[in-house]
Amino acid sequence: TKYKSILPLTRIYITMVGIVTLLGLILGDELSQGLLALDPIRVMYGLELWRPFTAACFLGPPSIGWLMNAYYLFEYGSSLERAFGTAQHLLFLLLQIGFLSVFSAFFAQPFFAQSVITSMLHVLSRSMPNQKVKWLIFTVPYWTLPYGLMASDVLQAGNAAAALPHVLGILSGHLFFFHKNIWPKLGGEDWLVPPDFLVRRLDADARNKSKDSISAALKSRKKGKGKKLGSS
């Protein structure tokens, strides 16, 4: 089915968005805020550890805006997962949830799914900044797309405060992009590498390559059987 053909981590994220949206409809606005919103005090002292994850999944009640954001989440999430691999994408998402939990708590933002979407788009756009893409009726460089999305939300809301989730997303996305792509080129260490066990567990291609390399090594040993050490 089409659902099962979605890349695994993107499929899980979209499913969580659907579940959290359904919970929001059942609970109503007030209870949703009380149960699903980011609350640093309750996270730290009440150990309500689900809150950063539900805050990253809540896109509001169903609407045209909700559909557009869910589509962006699917589109940008799939692109990143395809480019990074599932293990690296998982690390990216966990770091974004961590960064955005801190930023959103500081700016009193109860939900930050929109910021996650912008962070995905920022990383994609910085990876190929000069590629030409369509936005509305314009053809623009890819790096401008996060700012175009921010501008359109500000114009629709008629309020400059609508830019804040996008600003936080660009900031958190750039933290990842800088340490993953820029810092190593300057001589620094790439510390955003997923553990090997996670790569083996989540990335089928990596598992297949590992199996192929082991098979090739065994075949070469069989072919070289009986050779003395140091013989040519």
Side-chain angles (χ1 to χ4, degrees):
T1 63
K2 288 185 178 180
Y3 176 74
K4 288 185 178 179
S5 69
I6 300 173
L7 293 170
L9 201 55
T10 303
R11 183 170 67 240
I12 290 169
Y13 200 165
I14 292 293
T15 303
M16 287 177 64
V17 167
I19 291 170
V20 170
T21 301
L22 185 60
L23 277 174
L25 287 173
I26 294 169
L27 296 173
D29 289 343
E30 191 173 340
L31 280 176
S32 295
Q33 289 276 341
L35 185 63
L36 305 175
L38 180 68
D39 186 329
I41 302 300
R42 290 187 177 185
V43 172
M44 289 187 292
Y45 297 106
L47 294 180
E48 297 181 6
L49 302 179
W50 68 83
R51 288 181 179 274
F53 299 96
T54 53
C57 294
F58 188 69
L59 289 170
S63 63
I64 296 297
W66 185 96
L67 282 174
M68 292 299 297
N69 284 326
Y71 171 76
Y72 292 147
L73 195 60
F74 163 74
E75 186 68 21
Y76 303 147
S78 296
S79 297
L80 280 178
E81 188 169 356
R82 196 174 294 111
F84 284 169
T86 300
Q88 182 70 72
H89 189 49
L90 175 61
L91 183 60
F92 167 79
L93 285 177
L94 291 175
L95 286 169
Q96 293 310 300
I97 290 171
F99 291 151
L100 289 167
S101 293
V102 175
F103 297 157
S104 298
F106 186 79
F107 288 99
Q109 297 290 299
F111 300 105
F112 53 81
Q114 179 63 69
S115 299
V116 176
I117 294 169
T118 305
S119 72
M120 290 178 176
L121 179 56
H122 179 76
V123 172
L124 282 171
S125 69
R126 293 301 302 167
S127 300
M128 35 190 172
N130 296 317
Q131 180 175 321
K132 300 298 182 183
V133 293
K134 282 282 187 183
W135 180 64
L136 300 178
I137 59 172
F138 307 105
T139 300
V140 296
Y142 205 169
W143 69 266
T144 63
L145 215 53
Y147 305 98
L149 191 62
M150 177 173 65
S152 65
D153 276 3
V154 169
L155 290 173
Q156 285 177 16
N159 188 342
L164 182 58
H166 297 280
V167 172
L168 298 182
I170 290 169
L171 179 60
S172 64
H174 196 71
L175 280 172
F176 177 88
F177 183 81
F178 176 83
H179 286 284
K180 184 67 184 173
N181 297 90
I182 299 174
W183 181 241
K185 291 178 183 177
L186 297 175
E189 183 180 353
D190 179 7
W191 57 277
L192 299 178
V193 178
D196 288 341
F197 77 89
L198 208 56
V199 174
R200 289 193 299 269
R201 180 72 181 85
L202 297 178
D203 290 321
D205 290 342
R207 289 203 300 273
N208 293 335
K209 286 178 184 176
S210 177
K211 286 179 183 177
D212 291 343
S213 64
I214 291 170
S215 298
L218 289 172
K219 286 178 182 177
S220 66
R221 283 188 64 185
K222 286 179 182 178
K223 287 179 182 178
K225 189 176 180 182
K227 278 190 175 182
K228 291 181 181 179
L229 187 65
S231 62
S232 57

